[in-house]
Each structure stands twice: as structure tokens, then as C-alpha cells.
Amino acid sequence: MVCCKASEEAIAVCDLIAEQAARFFAVRDVELFVLAVHEAIVNAVKAVRQAGLEEGTVSLVFFVADDEVTVAVEDDGGGIPKETMKQLGGKTLADVLLAESGRGLLLIHEIMDAMALVERAGGRRMLVMKMQREAT
């Protein structure tokens, strides 16, 4: 688990950690895995800033199983609204290409093998993503 102050530096650190984890645990596509984690962390940092929390944090957690790697991203900013997650189902990248927001979540949805929003204590939400590991 990594917990950082929500900042540009946190994005860079999480990118490095995600790349090393993806390579070490041999996920099916290292570059796409890193892109998905990057987008989730960028969204988390943005949520903390929009909430006006100067000391807000983002957390990145990895869970590794024999056949998949699960990544969870949580922030102090209130997480992704449920309505936003529900709207992802019927959209394509072409639908949101020029939109003000929503591309990152749609990319994550398309890249990862599974994605879910988990309700946490105190009204917080955690974005959980999974990617298969290469067969050994």
C-alpha cells in the first residue's frame, strides 16, 4: 500500500510503482496496466483538489493472486460519483473524445479486465481494477 499527498509528485510516484508491479507480476499488458493506474490516480488527485483539501491523500493498493493483479485507488476527495460509473456502460471512446471529462474512466473500463466502485466507511469510494496475469 502506498499513501501520498494528492499532488503531481504522487502521480509520478504511483506511475513508477505501477510499472514495476506490472512487470514483476507479469500482467497481460504492462503499458495498458500502467495507463489505467495513471488515469485512476489523476482522477483521485483531481477529486482531492476539487474538494479543496490541501492535505488530502491518495492511496494505491495492490493485491496479487495466481491469475490476476487487483489495484485499488482511494482518495480523500469523495471518490467517483455512482452516476458517473453507471453512465460508462453504454459509452465508447468516440462518445467522450471531445468531452470535458470521462475519458480516463472509460479508458480504464476498456483496458482492465474488471472495474468496480466499492463503497467505504464515511461515504468514501474506492475504484478497484483487475488485470489478468500472463500464463506461466
Side-chain angles (χ1 to χ4, degrees), residues 43-122:
N43 285 345
V45 169
K46 185 187 288 187
V48 170
R49 287 180 179 160
Q50 287 175 342
L53 303 171
E54 288 185 32
E55 297 299 317
T57 61
V58 295
S59 300
L60 177 66
V61 183
F62 295 92
F63 303 95
V64 181
D66 290 339
D67 61 341
E68 66 187 11
V69 175
T70 302
V71 184
V73 175
E74 186 174 15
D75 62 71
D76 291 334
I80 301 163
K82 289 181 191 180
E83 303 77 41
T84 302
M85 291 294 286
K86 288 178 185 176
Q87 293 172 359
L88 283 180
K91 290 188 178 180
T92 66
L93 285 175
D95 294 334
V96 296
L97 190 58
L98 300 176
E100 187 174 314
S101 64
R103 288 181 301 276
L105 280 176
L106 192 55
L107 274 171
I108 295 167
H109 186 260
E110 294 293 321
I111 289 170
M112 300 301 272
D113 296 318
M115 180 176 101
L117 193 61
V118 177
E119 295 289 330
R120 304 275 288 165

Side-chain angles (χ1 to χ4, degrees), residues 6-57:
S7 65
E8 297 299 320
E9 187 176 66
I11 295 169
V13 167
C14 290
D15 284 352
L16 290 171
I17 293 168
E19 183 174 1
Q20 293 303 310
R23 291 187 191 291
F24 186 79
F25 297 117
V27 296
R28 67 171 168 77
D29 191 314
V30 171
E31 290 177 3
L32 290 179
F33 181 89
V34 173
L35 177 59
V37 173
H38 173 83
E39 291 296 332
I41 294 295
V42 166
N43 285 345
V45 169
K46 185 187 288 187
V48 170
R49 287 180 179 160
Q50 287 175 342
L53 303 171
E54 288 185 32
E55 297 299 317
T57 61

